[in-house]
Amino acid sequence: MPELPEVETIKRDLQQKIVGRTILTVTPEWPGSIRCPSAEEFTRLLRGQKIEEVSRRGKYLLLRLSNERMLVIHLKMTGQLLVRGPDDAEDRFVRVRFKLDDGRELRFADLRKFGRLALYNSNMTQKGMVRETRAPYLEDFWKLGPEPLSADFTLEAFTKLIRSRSARMKSLLLNQFFLAGLGNIYADEALFKAGIHPLRKAESLTEEEIRKLYEAIKDVLVSAIGDRGTSTDNFRDTAGEPGFHQFHLYVYQRTGQPCSRCGTLIERMKLGGRSTHYCPKCQLKQEGQ
Ligand SMILES: [Zn+2]
């Protein structure tokens, strides 16, 4: 599933490729991808609108339009946004097609069909959208935790957050209401980098461990954005190209391979239904062990 670095990669691509373009037509090839409003209304409201701005919050992409509406996109498991010219080949699993005024198309492709598109009144402010009452699909959006790469995400703020929780660290990092944008890949990578076992409870972390984890979260995200994301699954950028952070992973999907730090074989366990990858030697189960 695309996480913060993958969605950020798409966001940056879209900022270069489609900001300033006008949507001529929208074709819902599988209307189920459109969650709000109806597919007909969605199509009608987007026609003729200029794309003013593309931003990101957690794993959500936000496209602000000239009619003060916001197109909100969550790629979920397998969603892809592709920008294609008239001579480009057709893509597989295209669910919604946006024709742009420069002859190109923005295609929302989604093999598994879990991705969601929704259109809201935006009422943009500098900080984001003003809460809209009639937006059931966005309920989770308003509860998102801090952005790990924002200026407000300080060590003090992170320490406070950790100190208010008691859950196991892996589950906590996956919780979007605790911290926005991390998923299975970067939660595993950050815990490895900080030397913290995924089963550790938040309350057991020392100040030094909190500081290390804070740095590790930022480091793994920045490094993955630099690599244009991880393509261990079907993640592709807007040109249909894979990222290359899969070549720079420490533990994620490296079960049975030697740890790059100590040579111990990387292990995997199931935690809350998700695979968790870790080094049993580098990641301490308890402080000092
Ligand atoms: Zn190790």
Side-chain angles (χ1 to χ4, degrees):
M1 182 195 273
E3 304 178 26
L4 187 153
E6 289 75 37
V7 180
E8 180 69 19
T9 300
I10 301 277
K11 180 199 91 179
R12 293 181 183 188
D13 279 6
L14 293 180
Q15 281 177 336
Q16 285 189 354
K17 293 181 177 180
I18 66 164
V19 167
R21 299 268 60 89
T22 295
I23 299 169
L24 298 182
T25 58
V26 182
T27 313
E29 304 200 354
W30 190 71
S33 297
I34 298 166
R35 296 303 167 100
C36 164
S38 68
E40 293 74 26
E41 187 75 348
F42 181 90
T43 305
R44 188 181 67 76
L45 288 169
L46 279 171
R47 205 181 301 133
Q49 295 309 314
K50 189 168 159 190
I51 300 158
E52 303 269 12
E53 187 183 18
V54 180
S55 56
R56 178 191 60 74
R57 177 79 173 96
K59 302 176 193 172
Y60 293 85
L61 278 164
L62 309 170
L63 277 63
R64 187 165 61 84
L65 304 159
S66 46
N67 61 355
E68 286 309 308
R69 282 178 193 267
M70 184 79 85
L71 173 57
V72 181
I73 302 174
H74 199 303
L75 302 171
K76 290 282 173 178
M77 302 283 284
T78 57
Q80 297 176 340
L81 283 166
L82 302 150
V83 180
R84 301 297 200 189
D87 299 328
D88 288 328
E90 184 52 284
D91 290 292
R92 299 177 74 196
F93 312 116
V94 174
R95 307 302 180 195
V96 184
R97 199 182 291 276
F98 303 81
K99 269 204 194 325
L100 305 176
D101 63 346
D102 61 355
R104 291 187 297 174
E105 272 186 5
L106 172 66
R107 297 173 185 166
F108 175 71
D110 191 9
L111 167 67
R112 303 275 303 270
K113 297 185 178 174
F114 290 120
R116 300 165 178 178
L117 280 67
L119 192 63
Y120 296 105
N121 290 319
S122 72
N123 300 320
M124 269 301 280
T125 65
Q126 278 297 97
K127 291 226 156 188
M129 279 183 287
V130 172
R131 186 174 184 130
E132 193 193 342
T133 46
R134 290 178 304 112
Y137 162 68
L138 275 185
E139 251 167 43
D140 286 356
F141 181 91
W142 303 115
K143 296 187 221 150
L144 287 177
E147 278 294 320
L149 297 180
S150 72
D152 323 347
F153 185 65
T154 59
L155 176 58
E156 292 69 36
F158 185 57
T159 304
K160 239 185 193 171
L161 278 178
I162 293 270
R163 291 291 179 233
S164 68
R165 301 290 188 135
S166 57
R168 297 192 190 281
M169 284 314 301
K170 174 68 186 282
S171 313
L172 198 51
L173 293 184
L174 291 180
N175 181 348
Q176 300 301 296
F177 307 143
F178 172 73
L179 187 61
L182 267 69
N184 219 23
I185 303 172
Y186 303 105
D188 283 2
E189 293 291 296
L191 286 171
F192 169 80
K193 240 187 151 191
I196 295 167
H197 196 281
L199 293 179
R200 284 281 295 279
K201 296 235 172 139
E203 61 208 8
S204 79
L205 263 56
T206 63
E207 267 189 29
E208 176 63 4
E209 285 175 324
I210 295 175
R211 190 191 57 76
K212 278 190 185 165
L213 181 59
Y214 171 79
E215 303 284 338
I217 289 169
K218 288 173 168 268
D219 284 354
V220 297
L221 294 176
V222 168
S223 158
I225 291 169
D227 285 341
R228 299 186 57 78
T230 300
S231 292
T232 44
D233 53 15
N234 83 331
F235 170 71
R236 296 292 181 271
D237 67 15
T238 60
E241 297 295 329
F244 42 95
H245 196 65
Q246 61 275 20
F247 304 117
H248 302 137
L249 295 170
Y250 294 104
V251 289
Y252 182 76
Q253 291 194 355
R254 293 195 64 245
T255 313
Q257 296 177 46
C259 167
S260 56
R261 216 178 261 169
C262 75
T264 306
L265 300 186
I266 300 300
E267 291 184 10
R268 181 177 62 176
M269 66 170 140
K270 282 272 181 195
L271 188 55
R274 311 287 298 275
S275 282
T276 290
H277 312 79
Y278 64 102
C279 171
K281 193 168 171 197
C282 291
Q283 293 175 254
L284 305 179
K285 266 195 174 154
Q286 284 176 42
E287 186 201 342
Q289 280 191 8

